[in-house]
Amino acid sequence: MMRGFLCIAFFLLGWGQLDAQPVRDTAWTKAGYFGLKLTQVSLSSWSAGGESAMAFDSQITYSADFKRERQLWQNRLELGYGLTKNDGKSARKTNDKIYFASTYGYQMYKAWYWSALLNFNTQFAKGYDYNIEDSDFISKFLAPGYLVIGVGATWSPNKIFTATITPASWRGTIVANKRLSDEGAFGVDKGKHLLSEFGANLKAEVNYEFLQNMTIYSRLELYSNYLEDPQNIDVRWDVQLNMAINKWFSTTLSTNLLYDNDVKIAQKDGTAGPRVQFKEVLGVGLQIHF
């Protein structure tokens, strides 16, 4: 799966170099970056204790937006993968994300557009519960995978903020792996590979350079299933703070907050239920814009 991540990285970097050449069509606004953060710790007879470790975290973000006359088409791709290796232990995954979103809108009045939305997210590699020794994987590519397709309206008053509400939205939770499917993981019925839901989806995005070379991107997604417990709102909130040091290096802080009522998180006492999930990644390293 790491090979696939690198292939996509080199493809987008090459595409970005081609896009850097002068073009006539100014309707497109394209931007992206590749970031790589590395950490290495080596200890020998260290009286304070600890263990040697190596880690890396990589991320690709690319956006391509089209706006001409009454048409608006916004696209965003996010890829992330990270590993850490402590002395005497196997490599462990710390970051793994595939996210793609596309929204097409046709202007109906000023900043309002009739729109159609497509969102997809999953991961590259297998995931494990490292609190349990010798545990089998608990997730992998397309287990789960989430696909949302909806129609509604987009409000885009400026370049900083965009919100899309789709009151008619289908969401599919895909569990392609047979063992996880047989366990009923991620809310699917046991033995099934797809959980279908119909409800309302809201996606709100902020992309703002609040200081020179300091940019924040925040995306909030809310989903309510009309067919079952519509009061249980599923939440996905991603924030990326990017602080450029110079042309080649930057500091990046990413946070991800998730809540899905269908995802049961196992606890140490043996119980399982929905929980607020949170992840934070902070790194300093190479960043190439394209």
Side-chain angles (χ1 to χ4, degrees):
M1 288 300 179
M2 187 57 194
R3 183 181 300 176
F5 179 90
L6 292 174
C7 289
I8 295 173
F10 287 126
F11 172 77
L12 287 176
L13 286 171
W15 188 16
Q17 293 301 315
L18 292 176
D19 282 344
Q21 303 302 320
V23 293
R24 296 180 180 179
D25 191 353
T26 58
W28 283 98
T29 301
K30 301 177 183 180
Y33 70 85
F34 169 71
L36 179 63
K37 280 75 177 177
L38 301 174
T39 303
Q40 189 268 335
V41 177
S42 179
L43 303 177
S44 178
S45 301
W46 190 251
S47 62
E51 59 184 10
S52 300
M54 293 185 65
F56 82 90
D57 186 85
S58 54
Q59 183 178 0
I60 297 173
T61 299
Y62 188 77
S63 62
D65 298 339
F66 177 88
K67 188 172 184 180
R68 174 182 288 168
E69 297 177 350
R70 302 183 67 180
Q71 298 185 79
L72 177 67
W73 186 20
Q74 298 174 321
N75 303 276
R76 185 176 178 89
L77 174 68
E78 296 177 5
L79 306 174
Y81 195 79
L83 289 173
T84 184
K85 175 70 168 66
N86 291 345
D87 191 24
K89 299 179 182 179
S90 60
R92 297 184 172 188
K93 185 173 68 171
T94 56
N95 188 24
D96 194 355
K97 176 171 68 171
I98 301 173
Y99 175 88
F100 174 73
S102 182
T103 303
Y104 174 80
Y106 189 81
Q107 188 179 41
M108 56 176 168
Y109 179 73
K110 293 185 178 180
W112 287 92
Y113 298 79
W114 299 113
S115 62
L117 171 144
L118 182 147
N119 280 5
F120 172 76
N121 61 81
T122 185
Q123 60 193 44
F124 285 97
K126 294 178 180 178
Y128 297 85
D129 185 349
Y130 297 116
N131 293 318
I132 303 175
E133 293 186 6
D134 301 323
S135 69
D136 207 342
F137 63 87
I138 59 174
S139 62
K140 63 179 298 186
F141 179 70
L142 288 182
Y146 298 98
L147 177 64
V148 178
I149 301 173
V151 292
T154 294
W155 183 45
S156 183
N158 50 52
K159 295 181 179 180
I160 296 173
F161 179 80
T162 301
T164 298
I165 175 70
T166 52
S169 297
W170 174 83
R171 184 173 76 167
T173 301
I174 305 163
V175 180
N177 179 261
K178 184 179 185 304
R179 179 179 62 81
L180 294 176
S181 168
D182 291 341
E183 294 174 358
F186 306 104
V188 301
D189 293 334
K190 292 185 177 181
K192 301 295 184 180
H193 295 281
L194 178 67
L195 169 65
S196 289
E197 299 174 282
F198 183 77
N201 188 81
L202 170 66
K203 182 179 74 169
E205 297 174 283
V206 174
N207 195 346
Y208 180 51
E209 185 176 13
F210 58 96
L211 291 174
Q212 186 177 3
N213 297 326
M214 298 183 68
T215 304
I216 187 167
Y217 172 80
S218 178
R219 179 179 64 247
L220 176 65
E221 295 177 288
L222 306 176
Y223 186 84
S224 172
N225 180 17
Y226 294 148
L227 306 180
E228 184 177 352
D229 298 325
Q231 73 279 5
N232 292 329
I233 308 297
D234 294 336
V235 179
R236 178 180 293 269
W237 186 19
D238 297 333
V239 178
Q240 296 178 9
L241 177 62
N242 191 14
M243 296 164 282
I245 300 172
N246 54 36
K247 183 179 179 180
W248 298 102
F249 295 95
S250 72
T251 299
T252 304
L253 173 65
S254 299
T255 64
N256 308 96
L257 185 149
L258 303 175
Y259 179 83
D260 188 334
N261 194 65
D262 296 317
V263 177
K264 311 304 180 185
I265 308 296
Q267 303 298 302
K268 293 182 179 180
D269 60 3
T271 62
R275 296 287 189 276
V276 174
Q277 306 170 55
F278 184 77
K279 180 176 69 175
E280 177 262 331
V281 179
L282 173 64
V284 180
L286 177 69
Q287 182 165 287
I288 301 173
H289 290 264
F290 54 90

